[in-house]
Amino acid sequence: MAKIEKESRIGKLPITLPAGVTVEYKDGVCTVKGPKGQLSQQITGNIDIKVEGSECKVIRCADTREDMALHGLYRALVNNMVTGVTTGFEKKLKIAGMGWKSEAANGKLTLHVGYSHPVVFEAPKGISIVCETPTLIKISGIDKAAVGQVAADIRKVRKPEPYHGFGISYEDEIIQRKEGKTGAKGKK
């Protein structure tokens, strides 16, 4: 029988706080403030957050199955908040298709991606959408989950198609191309 690991590999790691970043934990809410803004996260379970000098530690106060599962999760979320308020997060999408393009103005992204009408996508609060070229979209913000969700929503407008290669995909995404149908050769 395998021994159950009591210590979370991710949860036990301390989070280094860069200069200008403060972490506060009060009434089950962790708030991180930094040069780019402020983020908050509700913490449930028997989890405590301690700040010692320039390090932040996420501590599990009980050994229940639920608390062991949440330990690494909350450490990763707090680390992402620290990274977000210092450097931020970004995702890039590329558009592939004949005559397909995008335009960004006044917080709105307009996509011309083969439909009879342009698709208008409004950026949520705290998210910036910029078109570096007509076929390259950059989404940035301090909240990692929000940036990823906006990128997924834009990609969902026209998913990458494996036969012709059309669609909106992540910049580093590899689309497996398919050969398609071949004619009936040799049949009479």
Side-chain angles (χ1 to χ4, degrees):
M1 190 112 192
K3 180 183 170 192
I4 296 176
E5 185 70 31
K6 293 262 182 184
E7 192 76 40
S8 169
R9 289 177 292 166
I10 306 274
K12 69 182 178 183
L13 299 173
I15 301 166
T16 305
L17 300 177
V21 175
T22 59
V23 176
E24 293 178 14
Y25 181 64
K26 214 188 276 186
D27 300 327
V29 177
C30 179
T31 305
V32 179
K33 295 178 186 172
K36 289 195 174 232
Q38 172 180 328
L39 291 171
S40 295
Q41 174 67 46
Q42 181 76 37
I43 307 289
T44 60
N46 293 317
I47 304 290
D48 193 18
I49 297 175
K50 301 273 187 211
V51 179
E52 300 166 351
S54 66
E55 280 191 345
C56 175
K57 291 184 179 180
V58 178
I59 301 163
R60 185 179 71 230
C61 300
D63 284 337
T64 65
R65 193 174 191 96
E66 181 182 328
D67 292 331
M68 289 193 299
L70 294 175
H71 188 204
L73 168 73
Y74 285 130
R75 190 267 178 206
L77 290 174
V78 172
N79 188 47
N80 286 341
M81 291 193 310
V82 170
T83 304
V85 297
T86 54
T87 59
F89 294 99
E90 74 174 33
K91 290 222 179 235
K92 291 186 178 181
L93 298 171
K94 62 182 179 184
I95 299 174
M98 183 66 75
W100 292 12
K101 62 181 180 174
S102 63
E103 302 162 346
N106 301 329
K108 291 185 180 181
L109 175 70
T110 306
L111 299 168
H112 302 277
V113 287
Y115 293 124
S116 61
H117 58 284
V119 178
V120 179
F121 188 86
E122 192 162 339
K125 184 181 175 199
I127 301 294
S128 142
I129 300 176
V130 176
C131 293
E132 293 181 341
T133 65
T135 59
L136 188 64
I137 304 165
K138 183 172 96 172
I139 301 130
S140 57
I142 62 172
D143 187 357
K144 185 175 186 177
V147 169
Q149 186 62 50
V150 169
D153 290 342
I154 293 172
R155 183 182 181 271
K156 198 183 335 177
V157 170
R158 199 72 149 177
K159 288 184 181 173
E161 192 266 334
Y163 293 100
H164 301 296
F166 301 144
I168 302 173
S169 62
Y170 296 107
E171 186 179 42
D172 56 354
E173 184 178 9
I174 297 170
I175 307 297
Q176 290 290 337
R177 297 293 301 268
K178 294 183 180 178
E179 186 177 331
K181 292 183 178 180
T182 56
K185 295 179 183 176
K187 288 189 177 181
K188 291 185 180 183

